Amino acid sequence: MYAQMITSEATQDDPEKLTTFQARIDSGEKIEPKDWMPEGYRKTLIRQIGQHAHSEIVGQLPEGNWITRAPTLERKAILLAKVQDEAGHGLYLYGAAETLGVSRDELTEMLLDGRMKYSSIFNYPTLTWADMGAVGLLVDGAAIMNQVPLQRTSYGPYSRAMIRICKEESFHQRQGYHIMMKMAQGTTAQKKMAQDALNRFWYPSLMMFGPSDKDSVHSAQSMAWKIKMNTNDELRQKFVDQTVPQAEFLGLTVPDKTLRWNEDKGGYDFAEPDWSEFFDVIKGNGPCNTERLAARNKAWDDGAWVRDGLMAHAAKKRAAKLAAE
């Protein structure tokens, strides 16, 4: 449906402008906010950047849950810094989206009324401290695999935001790996806890790359516009090939009995996630969907007085400036 909408919108644009625009994309130029762009390109970017921003903000919730319960003061400080980084990532991305003519308030309203989504992975609970390791190793690992290519995306503000985000995400992944390493080298109970966390987050992490290419309605046009640089299946394969050796080095077992190295393709054969579960979570039926949206709604309602105050102050400053003129 969305792909059909983009095609319809694209045909309403000036054919000569469309040809020139695509030539700029094909030559590797960056598109900047004041440049002409097809309406479908703008809307696709708003959808992708908005979902990305929402994911960074909602992603604070399952980790923030463990800040006060981290096992040492050092771990508390590291986790607190990580959650703070994620808030910053959301702000960078909301800022990038604003250059496309949509406000942060509008993006938040679209999240709260269901017109926008966030990554399905954040609808799963973090039950133990080992989950903080699994989130870093798997979730942040998958995020890096998704986001590093976006440093070359065709839209300038998005591309530049991703450069800083990716630098910080690499630290997040290392933090998770270090937690898993400590747990795996600890007591029998700690290693069991690490293995349990890996088991629960493995397939949801594979889902982070989106549905199989044959079922993805956005990929073809996004690839042509270089909003996306790789297909969902390409990124999922790279993630598996990178992560399996890391898990094995830690002495942990990836929960996939079909996992085999394929010499011909130079990568692992692996089992696909349960896509019915993925689509069920996307529809709002995951373990924590209600809890996550309730938290975002509460934050929105509780912050109303701050937004109102800022708007009143801005109006007062404008009035004073006009009076002085």
Side-chain angles (χ1 to χ4, degrees):
M1 174 65 81
Y2 191 82
Q4 293 171 351
M5 181 181 72
I6 289 179
T7 303
S8 174
E9 288 169 345
T11 59
Q12 296 172 17
D13 290 311
D14 185 309
E16 186 175 342
K17 286 184 176 180
L18 284 171
T19 300
T20 302
F21 179 82
Q22 190 62 52
R24 292 186 63 195
I25 296 288
D26 294 341
S27 68
E29 287 187 50
K30 295 296 184 195
I31 306 301
E32 298 298 339
K34 293 184 179 180
D35 294 343
W36 183 88
M37 64 186 72
E39 184 62 14
Y41 178 84
R42 188 183 74 85
K43 287 189 173 182
T44 300
L45 279 168
I46 290 173
R47 176 186 60 79
Q48 182 168 323
I49 298 173
Q51 177 173 307
H52 193 167
H54 295 325
S55 298
E56 294 285 355
I57 299 301
V58 175
Q60 297 175 96
L61 298 174
E63 292 178 310
N65 180 45
W66 278 93
I67 290 173
T68 59
R69 294 183 288 162
T72 68
L73 182 59
E74 181 183 28
R75 290 294 187 193
K76 285 180 172 67
I78 292 170
L79 187 56
L80 184 61
K82 181 185 179 186
V83 171
Q84 183 177 341
D85 282 349
E86 288 162 352
H89 297 174
L91 293 179
Y92 304 153
L93 292 163
Y94 285 135
E98 283 181 316
T99 66
L100 294 159
V102 59
S103 71
R104 300 182 195 195
D105 284 0
E106 289 172 316
L107 289 169
T108 302
E109 288 166 358
M110 283 190 275
L111 170 68
L112 299 181
D113 67 19
R115 285 176 290 158
M116 268 194 175
K117 305 293 184 182
Y118 53 88
S119 180
S120 59
I121 190 70
F122 300 120
N123 288 309
Y124 291 86
T126 47
L127 304 177
T128 70
W129 172 248
D131 287 10
M132 294 299 95
V135 167
L137 177 66
L138 301 178
V139 178
D140 292 320
I144 291 168
M145 197 63 66
N146 260 321
Q147 293 171 10
V148 166
L150 292 176
Q151 294 175 105
R152 308 191 311 276
T153 193
S154 61
Y155 189 57
Y158 194 20
S159 171
R160 291 187 287 274
M162 292 314 305
I163 293 171
R164 179 164 182 175
I165 289 173
C166 286
K167 287 179 180 178
E168 294 177 348
E169 288 289 359
S170 66
F171 284 102
H172 299 173
Q173 198 269 349
R174 292 300 300 174
Q175 174 247 8
Y177 183 87
H178 193 254
I179 292 174
M180 292 296 268
M181 181 176 67
K182 288 292 187 181
M183 299 288 286
Q185 293 175 350
T187 65
T188 301
Q190 287 171 326
K191 184 173 183 179
K192 183 178 179 182
M193 192 182 295
Q195 182 64 60
D196 175 66
L198 179 66
N199 292 347
R200 285 183 287 105
F201 276 92
W202 175 253
Y203 285 108
S205 295
L206 295 187
M207 295 176 192
M208 286 178 66
F209 299 97
S212 178
D213 292 342
K214 60 182 173 55
D215 299 319
S216 177
V217 297
H218 305 301
S219 286
Q221 184 63 78
S222 292
M223 293 280 288
W225 278 330
K226 294 187 179 179
I227 293 174
K228 284 181 65 173
M229 308 303 292
N230 301 91
T231 69
N232 297 348
D233 288 340
E234 287 173 350
L235 292 171
R236 193 168 10 253
Q237 181 71 58
K238 289 178 68 176
F239 171 74
V240 172
D241 293 344
Q242 173 182 287
T243 308
V244 169
Q246 292 177 334
E248 290 177 344
F249 180 79
L250 293 173
L252 301 175
T253 303
V254 171
D256 180 356
K257 293 181 180 179
T258 70
L259 188 71
R260 298 287 185 279
W261 177 258
N262 185 324
E263 195 66 43
D264 292 337
K265 74 176 183 181
Y268 287 93
D269 293 329
F270 59 94
E272 291 281 315
D274 180 352
W275 290 115
S276 63
E277 177 184 328
F278 170 77
F279 288 112
D280 203 36
V281 173
I282 290 296
K283 289 176 184 176
N285 300 317
C288 297
N289 286 71
T290 301
E291 178 183 338
R292 301 294 184 238
L293 278 177
R296 294 307 303 136
N297 271 288
K298 184 177 186 301
W300 178 251
D301 293 341
D302 289 351
W305 69 273
V306 178
R307 296 192 300 276
D308 292 344
L310 289 171
M311 293 301 292
H313 179 65
K316 185 177 179 180
K317 287 185 69 175
R318 281 195 303 268
K321 184 178 179 180
L322 289 173
E325 293 174 353

